[in-house]
Structure formats: C-alpha cells, structure tokens
Amino acid sequence: MLNTHVRDNMNAVIGVVSTITTTGTQTALALPAGRGHLVIFCNNATLLTIQGITAGYDGQELTLYSIGAGQVDLAHQNGSATAANRLINIATSGITPLAAGSGSAKYVYDTTTARWRLATHEQGAWVVPTFAAGHFTGNGA
C-alpha cells in the first residue's frame, strides 16, 4: 500500500475524470472529487450555462469538454456566482461558447485573484445564433 504522501502526489498528476448531464444555469458547478488535472465531460441534452465552478487550489487545472447535444456557455465574472467560483475568460463581454458535442476549455485556478482563469478555448463547430429574424442590421455595403 502506498503511503499517503506518494498517493497524494500520484493523484496530483493523474487527476479525476467525470461526466455530467447537468443543464440550465450553474453558479457553483461541482468539481470531481480528487486533486490534480480534473476533466469534466459535459453530456448535456440542452443548454448548460456555467456562471461559476467550485473553487480549486492554486494552479489546479480543469478541462471541460462538450460532448452532448446541448451547447455549453461559460460566463465571464458573473455576479450570480460566489467571487471565488467565478470565471475569468479571454472575451470579457458576453459568453464564451463551447459548441454542442465538440468544444473544449481549459481553466487554471488562481488563488491570488480567487478565480478560474481560461487558459485555452476551442469553440468547436460554429455556434448558430438563435436570434429572431429582424434583429440584425447591415451598414448598406
């Protein structure tokens, strides 16, 4: 049996993978139990909007993969989430989307700002706007 120190160091490298089917708005998405680089596969059938993720430890990595039929939206610094659960995205206005079944995002937890910082983002397939007709205007060119 491994001693606790060795086992903890192995977990820090190996990490934990989980799959969720959560939909709707989440202000404190739960992390998989464990340490190290965590992976969450989002197998949501409809839209999942993540406004916050449970706080991690300094330098902890979390990768989200969209594998379901629903899009995953990541909200920048959303006030509905507890400060330590908020996301700092590259795009600071609007959401950062993960297309249904193909997008991914990697976050790193920063205890100095007490936030998850977006490190990499792959939107995946094109995200089709769902706005009603007539909401767009051209410049005449």
Side-chain angles (χ1 to χ4, degrees):
M1 179 149 158
L2 297 174
N3 68 41
T4 303
H5 177 71
V6 171
R7 188 173 58 243
D8 286 347
N9 284 339
M10 285 178 64
N11 286 340
V13 173
I14 296 170
V16 177
V17 175
S18 72
T19 300
I20 62 171
T21 57
T22 307
T23 60
T25 301
Q26 297 295 308
T27 58
L29 185 70
L31 292 173
R35 297 181 59 81
H37 185 152
L38 306 176
V39 175
I40 298 177
F41 289 101
C42 301
N43 192 13
N44 44 303
T46 59
L47 179 65
L48 167 61
T49 301
I50 301 174
Q51 296 177 336
I53 301 169
T54 303
Y57 62 85
D58 199 36
Q60 185 171 29
E61 296 179 355
L62 169 66
T63 302
L64 301 167
Y65 291 99
S66 174
I67 64 168
Q71 181 171 313
V72 177
D73 287 346
L74 306 168
H76 173 73
Q77 294 274 32
N78 192 281
S80 295
T82 302
N85 295 349
R86 293 183 189 161
L87 311 175
I88 296 177
N89 294 337
I90 296 166
T92 59
S93 63
I95 52 98
T96 297
L98 305 181
S102 62
S104 65
K106 178 176 155 184
Y107 283 90
V108 178
Y109 197 76
D110 174 8
T111 55
T112 301
T113 58
R115 304 285 195 278
W116 286 99
R117 290 186 175 275
L118 183 61
T120 63
H121 169 248
E122 175 57 50
Q123 177 176 297
W126 287 98
V127 175
V128 179
T130 56
F131 301 110
H135 286 250
F136 298 98
T137 58
N139 64 2

